[in-house]
């Protein structure tokens, strides 16, 4: 593209409640993760499945609720953190606008249900609820001109991401004065 070497990374987070799925089951089950990634890429404009990475679930210590059924089975919500790579600020804006829509959570639940139903082994799991937010945005500059190979560029980008987040914080705090 025209902005060679610039990638925008959106740090996203969803609070999910899936019947029969705990956060560690999510982390161990590649099919659930694939269904989640597919649902995210279908939900967000201009985002492909390979733009979604770093998907991992963590425990949600805030919310535990009993299901209304007589089984008294505990339905545990958990937090899924994931990153979405966008090639331009325009796409970042589209993603943000999409995430701000009031229907986004219902839409994501439907997409995730559809994706999970396509995979027979996931048919027993049911999507109870989902709420998703954009946590933060990071600008990543890959040092493409200095690096010959993709692996080196990726490694450099990873380092730059860390440095940039630090320098951005310093910049922002210096502007605030």
């Amino acid at each position: 593209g025209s902005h060679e070497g610039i990638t925008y990374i959106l740090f996203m987070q969803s609070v999910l409640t899936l019947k029969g799925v705990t956060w560690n089951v999510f982390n161990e089950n590649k099919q659930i993760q694939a269904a989640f990634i597919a649902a995210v890429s279908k939900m967000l404009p201009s985002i492909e499945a390979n733009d979604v990475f770093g998907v991992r679930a963590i425990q949600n210590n805030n919310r535990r609720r009993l299901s209304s059924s007589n089984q008294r089975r505990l339905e545990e919500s958990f937090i899924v953190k994931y990153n979405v790579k966008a090639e331009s600020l325009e796409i970042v804006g589209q993603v943000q606008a999409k995430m701000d829509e009031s229907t986004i959570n219902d839409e994501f639940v439907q997409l995730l249900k559809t994706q999970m139903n396509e995979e027979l082994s996931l048919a027993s799991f049911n999507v109870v609820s989902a709420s998703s937010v954009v946590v933060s945005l990071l600008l990543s500059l890959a040092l493409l001109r200095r690096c010959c190979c993709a692996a080196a560029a990726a490694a450099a980008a990873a380092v730059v991401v860390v440095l940039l987040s630090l320098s951005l914080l310093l910049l922002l705090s210096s502007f605030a004065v």
Side-chain angles (χ1 to χ4, degrees):
S2 52
H3 307 283
E4 195 191 12
I6 298 184
T7 304
Y8 299 90
I9 298 171
L10 290 138
F11 293 94
M12 316 273 282
Q13 180 171 303
S14 297
V15 178
L16 285 187
T17 309
L18 303 178
K19 220 185 199 74
V21 181
T22 56
W23 64 278
N24 39 0
V25 169
F26 183 98
N27 284 337
E28 288 161 12
N29 192 316
K30 292 283 177 270
Q31 275 122 340
I32 295 180
Q33 290 171 37
F36 181 86
I37 288 169
V40 168
S41 65
K42 283 186 163 62
M43 171 178 70
L44 300 177
S46 309
I47 298 298
E48 303 297 321
N50 57 3
D51 295 326
V52 183
F53 66 100
V55 177
R56 67 216 177 278
I58 58 170
Q59 215 162 356
N60 182 5
N61 296 322
N62 304 340
R63 276 176 43 202
R64 281 189 153 204
R65 60 189 183 121
L66 287 170
S67 71
S68 52
S69 69
N70 299 332
Q71 303 168 322
R72 289 183 64 80
R73 167 193 273 182
L74 215 53
E75 281 177 5
E76 248 182 87
S77 66
F78 54 91
I79 297 166
V80 180
K81 291 178 175 289
Y82 54 104
N83 307 327
V84 173
K85 195 171 71 205
E87 294 305 323
S88 71
L89 260 182
E90 188 187 358
I91 294 174
V92 169
Q94 289 171 3
V95 167
Q96 186 68 66
K98 182 73 185 174
M99 296 296 292
D100 288 341
E101 287 177 12
S102 58
T103 54
I104 189 74
N105 293 328
D106 294 337
E107 190 182 328
F108 186 66
V109 166
Q110 290 310 316
L111 283 166
L112 190 53
K113 277 182 179 173
T114 305
Q115 291 302 319
M116 286 176 68
N117 287 341
E118 281 177 14
E119 180 65 51
L120 282 174
S121 66
L122 305 181
S124 61
F125 302 130
N126 188 24
V127 185
V128 179
S129 66
S131 64
S132 309
V133 291
V134 178
V135 180
S136 58
L137 170 67
L138 183 64
L139 173 64
S140 146
L141 298 160
L143 305 175
L144 292 175
R145 286 168 196 82
R146 294 186 196 169
C147 302
C148 327
C149 71
V159 173
V160 171
V161 163
V162 176
L163 294 175
L164 251 178
S165 54
L166 292 172
S167 58
L168 276 173
L169 284 173
L170 292 171
L171 263 176
L172 288 171
S173 55
S174 64
F175 276 128
V177 176

